[in-house]
Amino acid sequence: MARTNNVTELIITGLFQDPEVQRACFAVFLPVYLATVVGNGLIVLTVRVSKSLRSPMYFFLSHLSLVEISYSSTVVPKFITDLLVKIKTISLEGCVAQIFFFHLFGVAEIFLLTVMAYDRYVAICKPLHYTIIMSRPVCHRLAAASWLGGIIHSMVQILVTVQLPFCGPNVIDHYFCDLHPLFKLACTDTFVEGVIVLTNSGLISVFSFLLLVSSYIVILVNLRNHSAEGRRKALSTCASHVTVVVLFFGPAIFLYMRPPSTFTEDKLVAVFYTVVTPMLNPIIYTLRNAEVKIALKRLWGRKVNSAVE
């Protein structure tokens, strides 16, 4: 990057400019981030140690929670610490690294949510063949493919970005590094790069979302042939997944499938999917899932007994 760039450090404007508002945001977002790490970490640990959570659904849920921790940690720690400083800076290399990991974990989550929808489709629509179709090796391959898809997607984004020359200005009108705000700083036309980003990010989101919606339409149609108890249990599981899908895809499609802007509401939408949504996922899955709640209680009871002994 050094051969084409005069800019080595970037200034981030942040979410708000008022110091008191920033301190209030720090007091709110720090507990939210800690809850994200602890909540999702508990799900990963519980699925790992609990013998009752060995089904593919929980295997993918543990990967989703791991992605949530990583996704949030790419942006939120720096965002929180920046709330306490007047001038917020990041190196150009650090900015590119943040973009790489942000998109890696974001797209890995998209693919994992799609895989989880496929798992529910097989479980509800093809129950007699479920253990064969969703065998342990298949689950490992699907999880690995989700992570690999995120890596490939992110590498494309970075290859597009590192070709651009940055010769000033160096102020990013956002609270973290993302492609559209960074493109505005390039001292060249970025129309082609913008189209590539739209294709790579936006279309992945839209096609995956349409695939997810189609999967759940098929599931709902097939539920007519199930008993009332079977429908209740299936709808309870699917409702949690659909809620997470809407919370994640709604803001992503809103931001990436339209012309970029720097309106304050765009930043607030970004706060929702980078800070709030990763915290909500473990709450959504545990509140509606008796097996996870029982496993968490057993894990907590085991730790309490160990501490007493």
Side-chain angles (χ1 to χ4, degrees):
M1 291 186 293
R3 62 185 179 83
T4 57
N5 297 326
N6 297 325
V7 173
T8 59
E9 187 176 65
L10 302 171
I11 297 173
I12 300 173
T13 60
L15 189 59
F16 300 108
Q17 303 304 313
D18 189 323
E20 291 195 8
V21 174
Q22 292 189 67
R23 284 192 289 271
C25 288
F26 177 86
V28 171
F29 292 140
L30 178 60
V32 169
Y33 174 66
L34 294 177
T36 297
V37 175
V38 172
N40 284 287
L42 274 175
I43 289 181
V44 174
L45 179 62
T46 303
V47 172
R48 181 66 61 89
V49 302
S50 177
K51 295 181 180 179
S52 63
L53 302 180
R54 298 299 185 193
S55 70
M57 179 176 71
Y58 298 115
F59 171 78
F60 294 126
L61 177 59
S62 68
H63 275 271
L64 181 67
S65 293
L66 182 60
V67 166
E68 293 287 20
I69 294 173
S70 305
Y71 180 71
S72 183
S73 297
T74 301
V75 172
V76 180
K78 176 159 179 56
F79 167 51
I80 292 174
T81 55
D82 280 347
L83 290 170
L84 300 179
V85 299
K86 185 175 182 180
I87 300 178
K88 308 161 183 50
T89 61
I90 186 172
S91 68
L92 184 59
E93 291 82 1
C95 182
V96 172
Q98 188 178 62
I99 291 173
F100 176 81
F101 288 108
F102 177 71
H103 282 266
L104 188 162
F105 297 124
V107 170
E109 179 166 353
I110 288 175
F111 290 144
L112 277 172
L113 289 172
T114 307
V115 167
M116 291 173 76
Y118 175 69
D119 171 69
R120 290 300 84 204
Y121 163 77
V122 176
I124 294 170
C125 301
K126 300 179 182 294
L128 298 179
H129 301 93
Y130 179 68
T131 55
I132 298 173
I133 296 174
M134 300 301 295
S135 63
R136 181 60 66 172
V138 170
C139 290
H140 282 292
R141 285 195 288 268
L142 289 172
S146 298
W147 287 94
L148 182 61
I151 292 172
I152 293 173
H153 160 84
S154 207
M155 288 178 65
V156 172
Q157 306 289 64
I158 294 306
L159 287 174
V160 169
T161 304
V162 297
Q163 306 295 324
L164 297 173
F166 297 97
C167 44
N170 68 332
V171 178
I172 290 185
D173 189 9
H174 215 310
Y175 67 90
F176 70 99
C177 286
D178 203 1
L179 290 166
H180 288 309
L182 185 61
F183 282 0
K184 291 184 177 181
L185 306 185
C187 45
T188 186
D189 181 67
T190 59
F191 174 78
V192 174
E193 288 79 6
V195 171
I196 294 173
V197 167
L198 176 65
T199 304
N200 198 21
S201 293
L203 294 185
I204 286 177
S205 298
V206 170
F207 286 144
S208 297
F209 183 72
L210 292 176
L211 184 60
L212 285 162
V213 171
S214 302
S215 298
Y216 283 108
I217 290 175
V218 174
I219 288 172
L220 289 173
V221 171
N222 275 269
L223 282 177
R224 294 182 302 177
N225 302 322
H226 288 63
S227 65
E229 178 64 16
R231 284 197 297 270
R232 186 192 67 78
K233 295 178 74 173
L235 286 173
S236 178
T237 302
C238 292
S240 301
H241 190 64
V242 170
T243 303
V244 171
V245 167
V246 171
L247 288 174
F248 183 82
F249 278 90
I253 292 174
F254 173 80
L255 289 177
Y256 287 101
M257 286 303 293
R258 64 186 183 85
S261 65
T262 54
F263 297 134
T264 302
E265 54 265 30
D266 282 19
K267 296 181 183 180
L268 294 177
V269 169
V271 167
F272 186 78
Y273 73 79
T274 57
V275 182
V276 180
T277 301
M279 179 201 66
L280 293 178
N281 286 357
I283 298 174
I284 293 168
Y285 279 110
T286 54
L287 285 180
R288 300 188 63 91
N289 193 302
E291 288 181 318
V292 175
K293 286 191 285 188
I294 292 171
L296 282 169
K297 289 178 182 177
R298 287 175 180 170
L299 178 64
W300 180 256
R302 189 184 307 173
K303 288 187 174 182
V304 170
N305 292 334
S306 299
V308 171
E309 293 173 0

